[in-house]
Amino acid sequence: MLDGIWKNRNDYVWHNEQEEASALGLKANYVWNEWFQAQERMAGSTAWDPGTLPVFEAEALALKEAILGAISLNLEFVIFESDSQIVTQAVHSNKKGDSEFCLIIDYICSLLRSFKNFEVKFVKRQANSVAHSLARAANSWARRSLLSSTPLCIEHLLINESR
């Protein structure tokens, strides 16, 4: 609620635009419900494949799997964050071609066209420490792991991010 009030204040000060209080309340209620539902799902997975894929191809495959996972969980509004600038730029440019990488990107783009409330954003690795730590830890786990609870290797990171 406070975030919405602060944004509304800034919109008024800088752009002379503001929303009605009732609209702010509805948005705050919606965001709260989304957050609460996400806490009940706290789902995740890791996977690794032996072999030597180029890093950007592996990053694209990871994004594809994340999108498919969100679809299987019936999530409606999802922001996928990747620290691979090559992948995020390729997705936003709707890169075409015949390479394996381009085929993966094309599939991702078709998924994003079908799920309009899914978004892919680039974030620096420092801002993506949870995913980076999970990727490192996955090397010592089973080839594919479904996470129904928070692994110890990222628990402290999640606590720090929630502050």
Side-chain angles (χ1 to χ4, degrees):
M1 179 67 124
L2 291 176
D3 184 58
I5 293 170
W6 184 253
K7 183 183 178 313
N8 196 45
R9 175 244 181 233
N10 286 341
D11 285 345
Y12 181 71
V13 169
W14 300 107
H15 306 290
N16 201 26
E17 299 171 359
Q18 72 182 58
E19 287 191 71
E20 295 291 322
S22 59
L24 289 175
L26 288 173
K27 279 185 183 179
N29 185 43
Y30 178 79
V31 170
W32 167 255
N33 285 327
E34 285 279 308
W35 180 86
F36 188 76
Q37 288 175 7
Q39 302 315 303
E40 291 180 348
R41 292 184 176 166
M42 200 49 196
S45 68
T46 62
W48 57 268
D49 288 315
T52 54
L53 285 177
V55 173
F56 57 90
E57 255 182 49
E59 293 276 357
L61 284 171
L63 176 59
K64 180 191 82 154
E65 290 297 320
I67 294 171
L68 291 173
I71 292 168
S72 73
L73 290 172
N74 295 317
L75 301 178
E76 294 181 41
F77 297 91
V78 182
I79 298 173
F80 300 93
E81 296 179 338
S82 173
D83 61 10
S84 173
Q85 201 162 26
I86 292 171
V87 170
T88 55
Q89 286 175 344
V91 167
H92 291 290
S93 69
N94 206 0
K95 187 174 177 70
K96 299 285 185 203
D98 294 329
S99 70
E100 187 71 25
F101 177 70
C102 289
L103 294 173
I104 298 166
I105 294 298
D106 186 53
Y107 186 68
I108 290 169
C109 290
S110 71
L111 291 172
L112 294 174
R113 282 190 298 274
S114 297
F115 295 86
K116 302 279 188 215
N117 294 320
F118 286 6
E119 185 179 352
V120 175
K121 288 186 174 182
F122 171 74
V123 293
K124 293 183 178 177
R125 180 172 287 173
Q126 297 85 346
N128 209 7
S129 59
V130 171
H132 189 66
S133 295
L134 275 177
R136 277 196 321 245
N139 288 330
S140 61
W141 298 342
R143 188 167 166 260
R144 290 198 172 272
S145 299
L146 293 175
L147 309 173
S148 57
S149 62
T150 305
L152 291 176
C153 65
I154 62 166
E155 196 170 78
H156 68 285
L157 297 170
L158 292 173
I159 291 169
N160 288 340
E161 282 188 8
S162 68
R163 291 180 182 169

